[in-house]
Amino acid sequence: MYVFAMAILERAHLEIIRAVDQQGSLTAAAETLHLTQSALSHTARKLEDQLGVAIWHREGRSLRPTQAGAYLLSVANRLLPQLDQAEALLRQFANGERGVLRFGMECHPCYQWLLKIVSPYLAAWPAVDVDVKQKFQFGGIGALFNYEIDLLVTPDPLYKAGLTFTPVFDYEQVLVVGPGHPLRQCAFVQPKQLSDETLITYPVEIDRLDVYTRFLTPAGVSPRHHKTIETTDIMLQMVASGRGVAALPRWLVEEQSAKFDVAPVKLGRRGVDKQIFVGYREADAGINYLQAFVELARSYRQSQ
Amino acid sequence: MYVFAMAILERAHLEIIRAVDQQGSLTAAAETLHLTQSALSHTARKLEDQLGVAIWHREGRSLRPTQAGAYLLSVANRLLPQLDQAEALLRQFANGERGVLRFGMECHPCYQWLLKIVSPYLAAWPAVDVDVKQKFQFGGIGALFNYEIDLLVTPDPLYKAGLTFTPVFDYEQVLVVGPGHPLRQCAFVQPKQLSDETLITYPVEIDRLDVYTRFLTPAGVSPRHHKTIETTDIMLQMVASGRGVAALPRWLVEEQSAKFDVAPVKLGRRGVDKQIFVGYREADAGINYLQAFVELARSYRQSQ
DNA sequence: TACATACATGAACAAAATTAATCGATAGAT
DNA sequence: ATCTATCGATTAATTTTGTTCATGTATGTA
């Protein structure tokens, strides 16, 4: 394995130089390296020939490092531990103990959900790092295929060859109203009842908003105004102060009702039920820290 | 060359990983490494098998690094330059451009002389480092044989097999007297004239002091007092203030006479002439930065 | 002087890495 | 849609390299 004509110094040479220094003789070094003395003698001489420098002074039957040898020893002591560590780390990669889990998020409630689940996961997998990305040039599915992310959290699974989606969270999408809102006491709201309201949503395309696709649009209704807000907290603040109504997961509203004076109202008689899925490449099914995340997510779903 | 069963990651692997990243494909990498595409493909696959980790995702006809691959790339970018630099430095060793010249000093005037000559030498050989040692368990010759030092500067050459000595400096050892000293006007001093004096010398054994071995002892004379002082400056200060007389090289006294009010007096009618030699191992005769030092020293001798 | 120990050497052998030839897949051009 | 150039994988043959075995030489020691 010579790769370049120029490259002479191999890892094995450094191992030999270090072993000879530690053991004090070629023969002893050969033993620790599980080789014969002859093999080391040959290799050492060849290295010296190629470098054009003596590495040891031969004085009778002992080897004393030359200046070049002393320098090489310092190189060996510096670089060999780094190579050893690299191999150890790769072994962790191989065993699936170490890795980076890159999440892609396609919806705002997904993000809220991930926050809850990531912290027990990190505790269980200390050698795994987590990264979250939210913008994708070719959509979440494309990011999965391009290996930009490893897990996609989305309400819209796409059953496509090479990808696996698993439901991890069920929730009901509800209307959120502020204090003293006329709809607050209703068992449910009908589309027409929003035609005079200001609807506040996250800033995404309308066909990705369930209030539209599964509630307003089928009934041919539009709200009087439509405002977009980035963050959930501000959105709830707006609703609590009577500036409009919003559509959010019921669990999120209930969690935040202690903080903001808001109440959930069912969307339509039947309600709007949603699911969040995680998707990953089938090729990655064997990565155990990835599987572990999916399992953890599923177990959370059971417990609710 | 496998050395350990454990060691997998070789320099060549890192070269391949770096080249594939830089060139963008196996085929292009093979070209820059002067190998065939097949060779790289084999080596890469074998490495992945041994590590148990994929280094690249194979997507159609392109290679995209996996997490492990990205990590290995960072290792390669960190370690390969260090290996390259080590080889470059060894090449300098091989060409005799680089090295460390370790001096051993066996006499105080030798040290004074070395100080004068080292600075032009360092200017001429910027890649050579100089180190000076003054204490030796088995004497200067022993230090030479033990490779503790590379050059011995001494007034006492020992023509022994394996060593070469060259005279590099001739000087006259003289008595140094202070202002108003009765001997100051004499053309020379005789041993008896020192029997009432205080003699100041460096702190070494008497049989290594030329005032004794070549002047006082042959005449059976001893000075009244004998004091020892480490440093030349303090010694001259003592002499200048009339606390005693000393024996030093004439050139040193003349150099310092501007600074201290001292004068040289010949030791005996004939004077005491001395030589400084540098000795080195014959085995090192081929080291050109060592030869260069000896040459430089000799040329200084000529010019004086 | 004999003996043990350490490194060097040459030839034979074993184990690799490398190559050549070929295949299948893919992206881009016509 | 088809063709073509390009890329990586594969197999078998070849070459190179590393290792061992047996032996030699030098050195320090009982």
Side-chain angles (χ1 to χ4, degrees):
Chain A
M1 194 199 289
Y2 38 75
V3 176
F4 278 103
M6 298 197 52
I8 296 171
L9 208 53
E10 287 290 327
R11 175 182 190 171
H13 296 133
L14 298 180
E15 301 267 16
I16 290 172
I17 287 162
R18 181 173 65 172
V20 168
D21 176 67
Q22 284 174 352
Q23 308 298 323
S25 78
L26 252 190
T27 309
E31 191 155 350
T32 70
L33 296 177
H34 306 293
L35 287 174
T36 60
Q37 171 266 321
S38 176
L40 285 211
S41 181
H42 281 292
T43 308
R45 169 157 297 281
K46 188 173 175 188
L47 176 62
E48 288 181 315
D49 287 348
Q50 287 181 321
L51 290 176
V53 194
I55 296 171
W56 296 281
H57 297 292
R58 269 77 168 180
E59 293 167 340
R61 57 179 175 176
S62 72
L63 298 179
R64 180 199 304 275
T66 60
Q67 288 182 2
Y71 171 72
L72 270 177
L73 181 60
S74 77
V75 173
N77 284 329
R78 181 158 43 92
L79 296 190
L80 287 179
Q82 298 188 51
L83 282 167
D84 291 339
Q85 204 234 344
E87 274 189 28
L89 219 136
L90 284 166
R91 215 151 282 145
Q92 288 189 305
F93 270 113
N95 297 337
E97 293 161 12
R98 172 173 293 274
V100 179
L101 218 44
R102 296 164 301 176
F103 286 93
M105 314 303 296
E106 280 201 313
C107 60
H108 283 75
C110 298
Y111 189 74
Q112 302 294 330
W113 167 81
L114 184 67
L115 285 180
K116 294 163 58 115
I117 215 157
V118 134
S119 102
Y121 178 74
L122 287 178
W125 294 83
V128 175
D129 289 332
V130 165
D131 196 9
V132 177
K133 305 190 175 185
Q134 303 209 52
K135 302 281 176 198
F136 312 107
Q137 199 177 354
F138 303 108
I141 303 282
L144 256 186
F145 271 115
N146 283 334
Y147 281 87
E148 283 173 47
I149 58 174
D150 305 302
L151 278 168
L152 178 64
V153 186
T154 179
D156 307 309
L158 195 58
Y159 295 99
K160 215 171 163 181
L163 298 184
T164 302
F165 282 90
T166 314
V168 287
F169 199 73
D170 311 290
Y171 65 94
E172 184 193 352
Q173 188 82 338
V174 294
L175 193 75
V176 201
V177 298
H181 194 280
L183 291 170
R184 186 156 185 159
Q185 309 307 331
C186 299
F188 61 91
V189 58
Q190 284 185 319
K192 294 177 205 163
Q193 294 178 283
L194 295 187
S195 57
D196 265 345
E197 293 287 339
T198 295
L199 180 62
I200 307 173
T201 70
Y202 296 112
V204 298
E205 308 84 71
I206 283 182
D207 59 8
R208 286 186 49 206
L209 291 168
D210 300 303
V211 233
Y212 281 93
T213 58
R214 296 188 45 190
F215 187 65
L216 296 172
T217 309
V221 175
S222 286
R224 179 166 301 275
H225 297 294
H226 182 186
K227 288 187 178 175
T228 62
I229 286 181
E230 280 270 358
T231 58
T232 310
D233 277 353
I234 307 289
M235 189 181 291
L236 286 166
Q237 231 156 45
M238 296 284 283
V239 172
S241 63
R243 309 292 186 88
V245 297
L248 289 172
R250 182 182 288 276
W251 60 270
L252 211 167
V253 178
E254 283 166 354
E255 249 182 32
Q256 301 289 323
S257 62
K259 216 166 142 197
F260 305 99
D261 187 2
V262 294
V265 184
K266 196 180 280 278
L267 284 167
R269 185 183 303 270
R270 298 242 165 114
V272 172
D273 287 316
K274 290 288 295 176
Q275 274 188 313
I276 292 177
F277 297 78
V278 297
Y280 53 90
R281 292 176 294 274
E282 276 166 14
D284 288 353
I287 299 177
N288 57 7
Y289 60 83
L290 186 145
Q291 271 310 322
F293 179 86
V294 177
E295 291 304 324
L296 180 69
R298 268 213 284 258
S299 74
Y300 262 64
R301 183 189 186 203
Q302 306 294 332
S303 69
Q304 281 177 348
Chain B
M1 195 199 290
Y2 38 75
V3 176
F4 279 98
M6 296 194 54
I8 296 170
L9 208 53
E10 288 290 328
R11 175 183 191 171
H13 297 132
L14 299 181
E15 300 268 16
I16 290 171
I17 287 162
R18 181 173 65 173
V20 168
D21 176 67
Q22 285 174 351
Q23 307 299 323
S25 78
L26 254 190
T27 309
E31 190 157 350
T32 70
L33 297 177
H34 307 293
L35 286 172
T36 59
Q37 171 266 320
S38 176
L40 287 210
S41 181
H42 281 294
T43 309
R45 169 156 297 279
K46 187 173 177 189
L47 176 62
E48 288 182 314
D49 287 348
Q50 288 181 320
L51 290 175
V53 194
I55 297 171
W56 295 280
H57 298 291
R58 270 78 170 180
E59 295 167 341
R61 57 176 180 178
S62 73
L63 299 178
R64 178 199 304 275
T66 61
Q67 289 181 3
Y71 171 71
L72 271 177
L73 181 60
S74 76
V75 173
N77 284 328
R78 180 158 43 92
L79 298 190
L80 287 179
Q82 300 188 50
L83 283 167
D84 291 340
Q85 205 234 343
E87 275 189 26
L89 219 136
L90 285 167
R91 215 153 281 143
Q92 289 188 303
F93 271 113
N95 297 338
E97 294 162 13
R98 172 172 293 273
V100 180
L101 218 43
R102 296 164 302 176
F103 286 93
M105 314 302 298
E106 280 201 313
C107 60
H108 282 75
C110 299
Y111 189 72
Q112 302 295 331
W113 167 82
L114 184 67
L115 284 181
K116 292 163 58 114
I117 214 156
V118 135
S119 100
Y121 177 75
L122 287 178
W125 293 83
V128 175
D129 288 332
V130 165
D131 196 9
V132 177
K133 305 190 175 186
Q134 303 210 53
K135 302 279 178 200
F136 313 108
Q137 200 178 352
F138 303 109
I141 304 282
L144 256 186
F145 271 116
N146 283 334
Y147 281 88
E148 283 173 47
I149 57 175
D150 305 302
L151 279 168
L152 178 64
V153 186
T154 179
D156 307 309
L158 194 60
Y159 293 99
K160 215 171 165 179
L163 298 184
T164 301
F165 281 91
T166 313
V168 286
F169 199 71
D170 310 291
Y171 65 93
E172 183 194 354
Q173 187 82 340
V174 295
L175 193 75
V176 198
V177 298
H181 193 282
L183 292 171
R184 186 155 184 158
Q185 309 307 333
C186 300
F188 62 91
V189 58
Q190 284 185 319
K192 295 176 203 163
Q193 295 176 285
L194 294 187
S195 58
D196 264 344
E197 293 286 341
T198 294
L199 180 63
I200 306 173
T201 71
Y202 295 113
V204 298
E205 309 83 67
I206 283 183
D207 58 5
R208 286 186 51 209
L209 291 169
D210 299 306
V211 234
Y212 282 93
T213 58
R214 295 188 46 191
F215 188 65
L216 296 172
T217 309
V221 175
S222 284
R224 178 165 301 274
H225 297 293
H226 182 185
K227 287 187 178 176
T228 62
I229 285 180
E230 279 272 359
T231 58
T232 310
D233 276 353
I234 306 289
M235 189 183 292
L236 287 167
Q237 230 156 45
M238 296 284 282
V239 171
S241 62
R243 310 291 185 88
V245 297
L248 288 173
R250 181 182 288 277
W251 60 270
L252 211 168
V253 178
E254 283 167 354
E255 250 183 32
Q256 301 289 320
S257 62
K259 216 165 144 198
F260 305 100
D261 186 1
V262 294
V265 186
K266 196 181 278 280
L267 285 167
R269 187 182 302 272
R270 299 243 165 112
V272 172
D273 286 318
K274 292 286 296 176
Q275 274 188 312
I276 292 177
F277 297 77
V278 295
Y280 53 90
R281 293 176 294 274
E282 276 167 12
D284 289 352
I287 299 178
N288 58 6
Y289 59 84
L290 186 144
Q291 271 310 322
F293 179 85
V294 176
E295 292 304 325
L296 180 69
R298 268 213 285 258
S299 75
Y300 261 64
R301 184 190 187 201
Q302 305 294 332
S303 69
Q304 281 178 350

